[in-house]
Amino acid sequence: MTSTTAPVDASTTNRTVRLASRPTGEPSAENFRIADEPLPTPGDGEVLLRTIYLSLDPYMRGRMSDAESYAAPVPVDGVMEGGTVCEVVESRSEALEPGDIVLAYGGWQTYVVAPANQVRRLDPTRAPISTAVGVLGMPGFTAYAGLLEIGKPQAGETVVVAAASGPVGSAVGQIAMVKGARAVGIAGGPEKCAHVKDELGFDAVIDHRDPEFKAKLKEATPDGIDVYFENVGGKVFDAVLPRMNTYGRIPLCGLVSQYNLTRLPDGPNRVPSVMQRILTKSLTVRGFIQNEFVKAHYKQFQADMAQWIADGAVRYREDVVEGLDNAPEAFLGMLRGTNFGKLVIQVGADPTQSA
Amino acid sequence: MTSTTAPVDASTTNRTVRLASRPTGEPSAENFRIADEPLPTPGDGEVLLRTIYLSLDPYMRGRMSDAESYAAPVPVDGVMEGGTVCEVVESRSEALEPGDIVLAYGGWQTYVVAPANQVRRLDPTRAPISTAVGVLGMPGFTAYAGLLEIGKPQAGETVVVAAASGPVGSAVGQIAMVKGARAVGIAGGPEKCAHVKDELGFDAVIDHRDPEFKAKLKEATPDGIDVYFENVGGKVFDAVLPRMNTYGRIPLCGLVSQYNLTRLPDGPNRVPSVMQRILTKSLTVRGFIQNEFVKAHYKQFQADMAQWIADGAVRYREDVVEGLDNAPEAFLGMLRGTNFGKLVIQVGADPTQSA
């Protein structure tokens, strides 16, 4: 990372984090570049937004590459994309006024200009505004839609989810329990495992670093697995698949363990055994991006999730890192699993937090 | 195959084809054994059935192995299993009388005793009785249920199916066309390809032996692929997957290209790229066995399929081999793709066929 340490006037300068180069394999700080530029000016119908929180999410690794995907890559030298919670600084729209707090897709920068009709006003009295990019936002909705619309857990069934201390996995397991299913989480390291079991109340948790991982997964799923919410891939998938019950469902929203692969792993080619298992167990594997479900289910999600949080049925943990300059390092750590909870960068002051 | 050529009295002897040994890799005639035994006697509520037609289907390869699957294997020395069309010879049930034609799961033998409530009486005036194990039976229903309940082709979409001259594939493509979709078939060799295109009327057909297979698949699917009905696996799957459109569906009912694998193919391990494709294209891969859909859809299937046959919308081709003794050879040929159409063994005289 090219660190820009010269003092700047934060009220007249927009600091941006840009994609300096496309990574090969694991990204590094060198793939990012910090650049300052004058504040942009809103046109008619637009607003100037100051970023308060920037969400960092695994899908951003995909945006750094130009491999074909469901969304276009960030261009080299472009500002890194991402969901943000912002304050309206200047408005040229009647829909918003200065001081309003909004959800935007503002990217890795301290300010952004956006059309007023492409941001959503938040009610800061309802929940901490950072949750709009967490449990009450995209990650929470990914868990909700994928689990309920694809996984369809029934009371008494067993739901397994990896990255169970993360924003998606933690919501998956807790929603599963709300629906009367057994939740089995997989996480990395004793601290995260303790959190999943003790704080989130999962029925069981397994450390994927445990040398006895496969045996412990078996022990934790004595009736097999009905729903595996897939967000990591790799060795966890290999261990889970043979334990799937007939008519099992695998909602697939991420493959974080393989995002940095530069070539396919060595053989043998295990595709035939995966397909054979899908066939003989009548499994459903369904890839999805949460956008697909927004129109039909987002409203209900917000009502349900707010209620579950109020009830204490769903708890969440945020990992807030201060300062936009630290975003690249925090993002790299997330890909390695070193963060703990929903990773959010605090880019600017949060006016809703009384000091 | 141990051939038993001594003449036997067909009215007092039951000839059976038994599993002599479990195959390793491709089965051979030595894995089967012919044995004669006295006719079995029906008990109360049972019927003695004379086999007219025996259906040979790829799933039987699975029954020869003791690898875990959705159904128990045939025991070594057990009679090979299979669907049959039979005539009632003796009845100890009020539900059936001698001369009735029934669908049974009688296996590879000339006679069988079955509980009367486990066979289904056929109406021989409705359709040739052999179709009860073909287009109007399990293979036709596999196509119907898998395509309509999982594949859900919409008008204007592109449906691709392999083994397109076979009983399942031919029905898949033709039902797809009934629903207004484009049907693209994959078959082996010019004769089968001509049949699929000219007799069945598929919109396009591609020979999987063509060295330009991948390029021709691309040419035949200019708008991508919305439904791939999977029954072969292997190289066809590898070629189809990159052409799947967003929200594409892959009903998976068979993997005939890999049934004889004795070990996984050499690397690299392509699972990560398959999963990545399922994720980025929001694909559905769904294994199924037709039984799952019988209760809800079989009745409607029979009505629809009979109508489509009457209309000429669905045509079918049978490959009838004479004589139970030839069943092993015919079965082995089917696994290699040398048969052409629905493979049926004519085990005994068909009283509904006027000479």
Side-chain angles (χ1 to χ4, degrees), chain A residues 246 279-282, chain B residues 59 63 67-72 253 289 291:
Chain A
T246 298
L279 170 60
T280 57
K281 291 289 182 178
S282 295
Chain B
Y59 76 84
R63 297 288 203 285
E68 192 192 349
S69 188
Y70 57 91
C253 76
I289 314 295
N291 310 31

Side-chain angles (χ1 to χ4, degrees), chain A residues 68-70 247 252-253 258 265-270 272 275-276 278-287 292, chain B residues 68-70 247 252-253 258 265-272 276 278-287 292:
Chain A
E68 192 192 348
S69 189
Y70 57 89
Y247 304 132
L252 163 57
C253 76
Q258 67 181 52
D266 288 341
N269 179 9
R270 299 181 51 81
M275 295 298 276
Q276 181 73 11
I278 295 172
L279 170 60
T280 57
K281 291 289 182 178
S282 295
L283 303 181
T284 301
V285 181
R286 171 65 151 85
E292 174 185 350
Chain B
E68 192 192 349
S69 188
Y70 57 91
Y247 305 131
L252 163 57
C253 76
Q258 68 180 53
D266 288 342
N269 179 8
R270 298 180 53 79
V271 170
Q276 181 72 12
I278 295 172
L279 170 60
T280 57
K281 291 290 181 176
S282 295
L283 303 181
T284 300
V285 181
R286 171 65 151 84
E292 174 185 351

Side-chain angles (χ1 to χ4, degrees), chain B residues 39 62 110 113 123 136 144 152-153 157 173 183 203 218 250 262 270 279 281 290 310 314 333 335 339 351:
Chain B
L39 279 199
T110 53
V113 161
D123 176 358
L136 283 167
Y144 179 93
K152 297 188 170 75
E157 287 191 333
D203 296 286
K218 188 171 175 182
I250 303 182
T262 52
R270 298 180 53 79
L279 170 60
K281 291 290 181 176
Q290 47 86 29
V314 172
L335 292 182
N339 69 309

Side-chain angles (χ1 to χ4, degrees), chain A residues 114-257:
Chain A
N117 62 8
Q118 281 177 32
V119 306
R120 190 160 56 76
R121 184 157 41 184
L122 299 173
D123 176 359
T125 65
R126 202 160 152 242
I129 60 173
S130 58
T131 60
V133 290
V135 68
L136 282 167
M138 186 275 284
F141 185 61
T142 297
Y144 179 93
L147 183 67
L148 299 183
E149 297 309 310
I150 301 170
K152 297 186 170 73
Q154 307 298 305
E157 286 192 332
T158 297
V159 174
V160 172
V161 63
S165 69
V168 176
S170 63
V172 165
Q174 293 178 94
I175 297 169
M177 292 187 286
V178 167
K179 299 296 177 183
R182 262 189 95 235
V184 177
I186 298 169
E191 195 192 7
K192 288 179 181 177
C193 285
H195 173 73
V196 169
K197 187 85 170 59
D198 302 335
E199 295 296 314
L200 305 182
F202 277 45
D203 295 286
V205 64
I206 312 153
D207 190 337
H208 65 77
R209 298 174 192 163
D210 191 322
E212 301 296 310
F213 171 64
K214 267 183 88 165
K216 294 210 171 150
L217 178 68
K218 189 173 175 181
E219 206 175 283
T221 58
D223 301 325
I225 300 170
D226 301 292
V227 180
Y228 173 53
F229 192 103
E230 172 65 294
N231 50 14
V232 300
K235 284 175 184 179
V236 173
F237 179 73
D238 294 345
V240 163
L241 190 62
R243 297 207 54 71
M244 292 298 296
N245 291 329
T246 298
Y247 304 132
R249 289 82 67 195
I250 304 182
L252 163 57
C253 76
L255 292 163
V256 70
S257 79

Side-chain angles (χ1 to χ4, degrees), chain B residues 62-297:
Chain B
R63 297 288 203 285
M64 298 177 75
S65 295
D66 55 7
E68 192 192 349
S69 188
Y70 57 91
V74 172
V76 170
D77 262 337
V79 177
M80 285 291 295
E81 295 178 4
T84 51
V85 177
C86 302
E87 180 181 20
V88 176
V89 174
E90 184 185 345
S91 175
R92 293 196 55 194
S93 158
E94 295 196 347
L96 292 169
E97 54 187 57
D100 281 349
I101 304 295
V102 298
L103 176 67
Y105 197 70
W108 298 27
Q109 51 191 340
T110 53
Y111 290 91
V112 71
V113 161
N117 63 11
Q118 282 178 29
V119 306
R120 190 161 56 78
R121 185 156 42 185
L122 299 173
D123 176 358
T125 65
R126 204 161 149 244
I129 60 174
S130 58
T131 59
V133 290
V135 68
L136 283 167
M138 185 274 285
F141 185 61
T142 298
Y144 179 93
L147 183 66
L148 299 184
E149 296 308 310
I150 301 170
K152 297 188 170 75
Q154 307 299 306
E157 287 191 333
T158 296
V159 174
V160 172
V161 62
S165 69
V168 176
S170 63
V172 165
Q174 293 178 93
I175 297 170
M177 291 186 287
V178 167
K179 298 296 178 183
R182 262 189 94 233
V184 177
I186 298 168
E191 196 190 6
K192 288 179 179 176
C193 286
H195 173 73
V196 169
K197 187 85 169 64
D198 302 335
E199 295 297 314
L200 305 181
F202 277 46
D203 296 286
V205 65
I206 312 152
D207 191 335
H208 64 76
R209 299 175 191 162
D210 192 321
E212 300 297 310
F213 171 64
K214 268 182 86 167
K216 293 209 171 149
L217 178 68
K218 188 171 175 182
E219 206 173 285
T221 57
D223 301 325
I225 299 170
D226 301 292
V227 180
Y228 173 54
F229 192 102
E230 173 64 297
N231 50 14
V232 300
K235 286 177 181 176
V236 173
F237 179 73
D238 294 344
V240 163
L241 190 62
R243 296 207 55 70
M244 293 297 297
N245 290 330
T246 299
Y247 305 131
R249 290 83 66 194
I250 303 182
L252 163 57
C253 76
L255 292 162
V256 71
S257 77
Q258 68 180 53
Y259 289 161
N260 291 336
L261 289 184
T262 52
R263 57 178 187 83
L264 288 170
D266 288 342
N269 179 8
R270 298 180 53 79
V271 170
S273 76
V274 170
M275 296 297 277
Q276 181 72 12
R277 187 58 66 158
I278 295 172
L279 170 60
T280 57
K281 291 290 181 176
S282 295
L283 303 181
T284 300
V285 181
R286 171 65 151 84
F288 75 103
I289 314 295
Q290 47 86 29
N291 310 31
E292 174 185 351
F293 298 102
V294 165
K295 200 171 168 190
H297 301 287

